[in-house]
Amino acid sequence: MQADKRIFLTLDGLRGIAAIMIVLFHSRAIVGHFHPASAYLSVDLFFALSGCVLEASYRERLAAGLSTRAFMRIRFIRLWPLFALSLLIGLAFALLRLNMGVGHDTPASIAMALVTGLALLPSPSLSGHDWVMPLNVAGWSLVLELAINALYAWTWRRMSNALLWVVVTGAGLVLTAASLAHGGVDMGSTWGSVAGGLVRVLYSFSLGVLIFRAYDGRVRRGWVAALVPLCLVPILAMGGGGPLFDLACALFVLPLLVWVGLRLEPAPGLDRLFRWAGLTSYAVYVLHGPVLQFAKLAIFHYLRPRTDAVWMAGLGAIAALVLLSAAVDRWYDTPVRRKLSTHLRRRREALAGERAMTAP
């Protein structure tokens, strides 16, 4: 089987575990001791996975002449429907806070955040907030994902392995300096740290591309593949590691998991679970912020803080989020993306026909 025709199920398992861990990270108030203190490193893993999988999926099409514009259209359709839905949920929560007189948002700042968010662009700070994507904080990584995707497609034909290694080395050195100054790798979600986020995506995505280019196509199948996603749990659960721990993980350990994951595939019985985890992971990641805002509000309204009932309700809310994400992925995201792709294809065909008819 050709490497670029494979479905990378172990990488799907990695993506699914990382998504759950970052949900727990952002839910500390309602999950108590189940808080994985280093789960922000999931984003570095996502960027490396993206570089690896996009290189596997699109290198032949890019070599055959797929344009940057066409590539970005594909990527926008992949990311936009679910993120647009998350923004509407975030909008509802922002309007609720505004009605309650909580926070510093204004109708103008909320409207600006919605308009820019729907375009998958960062939102200017109009009310003193520092978030790049105030209606869904996790959206900062999608902005950088699209930016690196555009750079990847635009430079693909000129980007040799040697040049990629220069980029990775330079980005790694800058990331090291930025992380030591910042106190860790957790940068990018705020305007004050957005430069650090740019370096994170440049390093991890570029290394992900190199990882696939070095892949020899060999695959080992078996239950040992389960160890790859499981190894991620203690890494992301460790707290207080400091900038050196963050850098070791972002620069070496997480890319190594991607490298190993390419070469291992799960045995029958695990393959469906890994596939499901991969399919659901994006919905879990993009919906968790605004959905769990409502969950936290309800939990603290009906339950006394710092009781066992709070973390039990919190874990129940996260389990419900996962089920909701699976349903949304199947019955909303997939059909909407299919319809958008069909509509754009028919539009391109119509435009091509008009040009042919008007050609001299």
Side-chain angles (χ1 to χ4, degrees), residues 42-342:
S42 294
V43 178
D44 301 274
L45 178 67
F46 290 149
F47 290 148
L49 287 169
S50 178
C52 180
V53 173
L54 288 182
E55 176 69 9
S57 302
Y58 289 98
R59 60 177 184 164
E60 290 186 358
R61 295 178 65 180
L62 289 167
L66 180 69
S67 67
T68 301
R69 181 177 180 180
F71 177 78
M72 292 307 297
R73 187 185 300 119
I74 294 169
R75 295 301 295 149
F76 195 88
I77 290 174
R78 174 64 185 97
L79 299 177
W80 186 83
L82 268 174
F83 189 66
L85 177 62
S86 77
L87 286 178
L88 295 180
I89 301 171
L91 173 66
F93 189 77
L95 292 176
L96 176 63
R97 284 169 52 88
L98 185 66
N99 185 60
M100 296 169 61
V102 177
H104 303 287
D105 285 323
T106 65
S109 67
I110 293 173
M112 176 62 73
L114 179 63
V115 171
T116 54
L118 287 173
L120 277 170
L121 295 172
S123 175
S125 179
L126 298 182
S127 58
H129 68 73
D130 197 30
W131 301 116
V132 172
M133 281 283 194
L135 294 183
N136 185 350
V137 174
W140 71 271
S141 63
L142 303 185
V143 173
L144 296 186
E145 172 74 17
L146 283 177
I148 197 68
N149 288 175
L151 183 63
Y152 165 73
W154 183 56
T155 62
W156 187 86
R157 293 174 184 82
R158 301 182 291 275
M159 191 61 68
S160 65
N161 288 352
L163 188 54
L164 261 179
W165 274 117
V166 172
V167 171
V168 167
T169 302
L173 292 173
V174 176
L175 180 59
T176 299
S179 298
L180 292 174
H182 183 75
V185 169
D186 189 11
M187 301 175 286
S189 61
T190 63
W191 281 109
S193 66
V194 72
L198 287 167
V199 182
R200 287 174 77 183
V201 69
L202 183 61
Y203 176 85
S204 295
F205 185 94
S206 301
L207 187 54
V209 173
L210 280 171
I211 286 171
F212 186 80
R213 290 187 179 183
Y215 176 47
D216 57 11
R218 297 180 182 178
V219 184
R220 179 181 177 183
R221 301 184 183 277
W223 290 91
V224 69
L227 296 177
V228 180
L230 289 178
C231 284
L232 191 61
V233 175
I235 294 170
L236 300 183
M238 185 174 294
L244 294 181
F245 173 80
D246 282 8
L247 285 168
C249 292
L251 296 178
F252 305 110
V253 178
L254 298 179
L256 179 62
L257 288 180
V258 176
W259 172 271
V260 175
L262 268 179
R263 288 152 178 77
L264 296 175
E265 288 296 344
L270 276 181
D271 52 356
R272 290 186 178 181
L273 177 62
F274 280 30
R275 185 190 300 269
W276 181 83
L279 289 174
T280 310
S281 61
Y282 176 57
V284 169
Y285 178 73
V286 82
L287 292 176
H288 80 273
V291 169
L292 290 181
Q293 291 278 29
F294 281 103
K296 292 174 187 177
L297 192 66
I299 288 171
F300 288 125
H301 179 75
Y302 291 107
L303 300 175
R304 289 190 303 110
R306 299 182 182 179
T307 64
D308 290 343
V310 169
W311 68 258
M312 292 173 66
L315 293 178
I318 291 172
L321 168 71
V322 173
L323 295 177
L324 172 66
S325 298
V328 168
D329 175 78
R330 180 173 180 179
W331 287 301
Y332 166 75
D333 188 43
T334 299
V336 169
R337 286 191 286 116
R338 186 181 298 119
K339 289 180 180 179
L340 284 173
S341 298
T342 301

Side-chain angles (χ1 to χ4, degrees), residues 20-45:
I20 293 297
M21 295 294 278
I22 206 163
V23 170
L24 291 170
F25 174 76
H26 288 146
S27 306
R28 182 173 187 174
I30 57 173
V31 298
H33 298 299
F34 294 93
H35 174 255
S38 297
Y40 50 84
L41 292 167
S42 294
V43 178
D44 301 274
L45 178 67

